[in-house]
Amino acid sequence: MNKFSSLLVVSLLSGTITLGAYKLLFDNNSFSGSKLSVATDSYARNVNLGAENSDFTNAAENAVHYVVHVKNVTVSEIPSNPIMEYFYGYRGGQQQTQVGTGSGVIISEDGYIVTNNHVIQNATELEVTLNNNKSYKAKLVGTDSKMDIALLKITSDEKLPYATFGNSDTMRVGEWVLAVGNPYNLNSTVTAGIVSAKARNLSKDGIQSFIQTDAAVNPGNSGGALVNTRGELVGINTMISSPTGSYAGYSFAVPSNITRKIIEDLMEYGNVQRGALGVEGRELNSIASKDLGIKQTQGFYINSVSKKSGAESAGLKEGDIIVRLDNQNVNGFSDLNSYINSKRPNDVVQVGIIRNGNEKTIPVRLTKKELVNVDYKGFEFEDLDSTDKKRFRISEGVKIKDISNEEYLEYAEVLKGSIILSIDGNKISSMDQASRLLNSKSNNQKFRVELITQRGERLQMFL
């Protein structure tokens, strides 16, 4: 695994891959006059047909018209350098212009476009070029950096072709898909492949959950569309895994159901509404199951239930094994996380569990993520707010909200309010990541933690 990880180069667009697409059509809801289209699942699949028996032409013909080229112009100031000025007459304080390119997907006839956050990050100016070579200035509507999704808007005098969202949850491994984008500035490029895996997790924080495909994707594809053979958007191409930075057989896309939910939130609320189930634990495998003394080797084992969460209210308990969410099977953390990421606070999810060898289903109303705290060995954690980040001059970490662990009560005055920066050398960006790391080992194993106290002192300790 370490050997594979050393070869893994995740090229986040802006220069590594730019794909993406997003198409919505709320049933009867509209935002700013825009409608997003969603397809139904009533169709005959051709999953087991060979490429020679599958017709990709209609899907490709539709997709190239709603996939666009995105140009990101960034203007920065070159700092002064006395040595360069003295020897070469170089003057600092001058402006430097850099141009990055990627792809995007039109999701409404009035010009909303989905792309990757890394494609447009730090942009001073954004320009979108359609398949008919018409170019438009674009404005940024909103972003979700955690899922690498951004929403743009252009204004056109004519109705634009747009994508229809497919259901990424019903995609099957082995199903044919097309990647459509602008690799290496080659406009309207279509490549074909199959779904190689679902719910693939490549991030340390465990937040993201990708569709893996072997459709060729290269720098410039980022933000482009992954579509099925009916031309429906099932993912936004986001990254590749490669020892060279170019396509080597592995590419990854944000599932359309997650993308669609993010876009709907940005349109309606101006930010992303994240729901939380409110459980902490570990995914099962043969080693974890042996350690826990159970027979089940697939699913998500609950180590603890978060206070004030929907899981607590619904009666989920430590030792329960989550094996299903609504109609979706849960084999591990990525499956659970991917499905919850497509939901909002107050959505009700039917949670299928195994408790004491018996299966049962419990309805759980999701809680707003910001209201849920993580508890581990008598330490209660919460995410940082803007005041904490400004005060400590940091952008990442989690705060120790309270301590009930008797072993550390004498240090409670110092530790309460402290910020955990890393666990076992892994920088901590969110409670999700902290929870996953803390619950990944046995209860008798300790973790080395780096933290900043309320006084600004940096300490190391073991939990």
Side-chain angles (χ1 to χ4, degrees):
M1 183 63 185
N2 291 335
K3 182 178 179 181
F4 175 80
S5 298
S6 67
L7 295 177
L8 185 67
V9 176
V10 175
S11 305
L12 285 175
L13 303 115
S14 242
T16 289
I17 148 179
T18 327
L19 307 115
Y22 171 95
K23 170 27 203 29
L24 298 152
L25 207 256
F26 302 131
D27 291 334
N28 290 313
N29 298 330
S30 62
F31 302 96
S32 303
S34 301
K35 288 188 174 181
L36 302 173
S37 175
V38 181
T40 64
D41 286 327
S42 56
Y43 56 80
R45 293 182 179 272
N46 59 1
V47 175
N48 295 317
L49 298 180
E52 67 276 7
N53 297 319
S54 299
D55 186 357
F56 303 143
T57 56
N58 289 334
E61 174 65 22
N62 290 331
V64 295
H65 293 297
Y66 60 67
V67 174
V68 301
H69 185 273
V70 178
K71 184 170 75 172
N72 169 354
V73 178
T74 303
V75 179
S76 57
E77 190 171 286
I78 303 173
S80 299
N81 187 322
I83 296 177
M84 294 290 285
E85 289 182 18
Y86 181 80
F87 286 103
Y88 303 105
Y90 169 86
R91 290 185 175 276
Q94 296 177 334
Q95 289 188 328
Q96 181 181 51
T97 300
Q98 293 180 315
V99 177
T101 61
S103 303
V105 181
I106 304 172
I107 57 171
S108 68
E109 63 183 17
D110 59 345
Y112 279 98
I113 295 170
V114 120
T115 185
N116 285 137
N117 179 65
H118 74 262
V119 171
I120 55 83
Q121 196 165 21
N122 302 320
T124 305
E125 180 181 311
L126 292 168
E127 183 179 275
V128 170
T129 302
L130 277 55
N131 187 57
N132 60 10
N133 293 325
K134 290 184 178 180
S135 295
Y136 302 87
K137 297 296 182 184
K139 69 176 182 178
L140 178 63
V141 176
T143 66
D144 180 7
S145 59
K146 288 185 177 180
M147 296 306 301
D148 198 20
I149 293 295
L151 180 64
L152 310 180
K153 178 70 167 66
I154 63 174
T155 300
S156 172
D157 294 332
E158 56 188 4
K159 293 182 179 181
L160 300 174
Y162 58 92
T164 296
F165 273 96
N167 186 349
S168 55
D169 286 343
T170 62
M171 293 290 292
R172 298 169 61 186
V173 173
E175 188 167 345
W176 283 102
V177 286
L178 305 178
V180 187
N182 305 283
Y184 301 116
N185 282 323
L186 298 173
N187 290 347
S188 304
T189 296
V190 180
T191 56
I194 62 169
V195 175
S196 304
K198 296 176 63 178
R200 184 72 80 195
N201 175 37
L202 302 177
S203 61
K204 290 182 179 180
D205 56 20
I207 293 175
Q208 295 176 322
S209 181
F210 299 102
I211 296 172
Q212 180 182 332
T213 174
D214 64 354
V217 165
N218 278 295
N221 274 122
S222 296
L226 186 71
V227 303
N228 58 27
T229 54
R230 294 168 303 284
E232 300 161 356
L233 182 66
V234 293
I236 300 297
N237 296 316
T238 298
M239 65 176 70
I240 60 176
S241 171
S242 166
T244 64
S246 297
Y247 175 72
Y250 304 93
S251 56
F252 303 90
V254 179
S256 59
N257 286 8
I258 294 177
T259 303
R260 180 180 133 203
K261 185 263 181 185
I262 291 170
I263 297 307
E264 291 174 352
D265 284 355
L266 292 175
M267 284 182 164
E268 185 172 6
Y269 306 105
N271 55 48
V272 180
Q273 304 288 299
R274 299 192 189 280
L277 188 61
V279 296
E280 312 302 328
R282 59 196 296 192
E283 61 181 50
L284 295 178
N285 53 38
S286 58
I287 297 175
S289 297
K290 183 178 180 181
D291 182 44
L292 293 166
I294 59 177
K295 295 181 179 180
Q296 185 79 14
T297 58
Q298 287 187 312
F300 184 83
Y301 183 89
I302 299 178
N303 283 339
S304 63
V305 178
S306 302
K307 297 177 181 178
K308 302 179 183 179
S309 68
E312 181 184 54
S313 300
L316 291 182
K317 301 177 181 179
E318 177 183 350
D320 288 345
I321 301 171
I322 299 176
V323 294
R324 189 175 60 260
L325 296 173
D326 291 333
N327 295 319
Q328 303 299 313
N329 291 331
V330 173
N331 294 320
F333 179 79
S334 293
D335 292 323
L336 183 148
N337 194 61
S338 175
Y339 193 75
I340 296 300
N341 274 340
S342 68
K343 302 298 180 180
R344 296 186 179 84
N346 293 319
D347 284 352
V348 176
V349 176
Q350 301 296 324
V351 181
I353 64 168
I354 296 176
R355 177 182 294 174
N356 300 324
N358 299 315
E359 291 193 26
K360 62 186 306 183
T361 299
I362 299 176
V364 178
R365 185 177 299 276
L366 301 184
T367 315
K368 193 170 184 179
K369 197 172 187 68
E370 290 78 5
L371 301 179
V372 175
N373 299 326
V374 170
D375 187 273
Y376 177 79
K377 289 185 177 180
F379 283 80
E380 188 176 343
F381 304 108
E382 63 180 357
D383 277 324
L384 299 184
D385 57 29
S386 57
T387 303
D388 295 323
K389 293 177 181 179
K390 184 176 181 180
R391 178 185 176 190
F392 294 102
R393 296 182 181 179
I394 56 178
S395 59
E396 297 180 329
V398 294
K399 180 191 283 189
I400 300 176
K401 184 179 181 181
D402 200 4
I403 299 174
S404 59
N405 188 318
E406 293 183 0
E407 183 180 351
Y408 296 93
L409 283 180
E410 61 180 302
Y411 309 109
E413 186 176 344
V414 174
L415 293 177
K416 284 176 67 173
S418 295
I419 310 298
I420 292 182
L421 302 175
S422 69
I423 298 175
D424 279 351
N426 298 294
K427 290 184 178 180
I428 300 302
S429 60
S430 66
M431 284 203 304
D432 285 325
Q433 182 189 5
S435 171
R436 195 175 186 215
L437 285 171
L438 292 171
N439 286 288
S440 64
K441 298 183 181 179
S442 304
N443 289 332
N444 60 347
Q445 292 180 289
K446 290 193 176 281
F447 293 80
R448 179 171 55 83
V449 174
E450 180 187 4
L451 52 81
I452 300 178
T453 69
Q454 286 289 301
R455 299 174 182 175
E457 302 167 326
R458 291 196 174 225
L459 303 175
Q460 288 194 1
M461 62 179 293
F462 286 87
L463 291 181

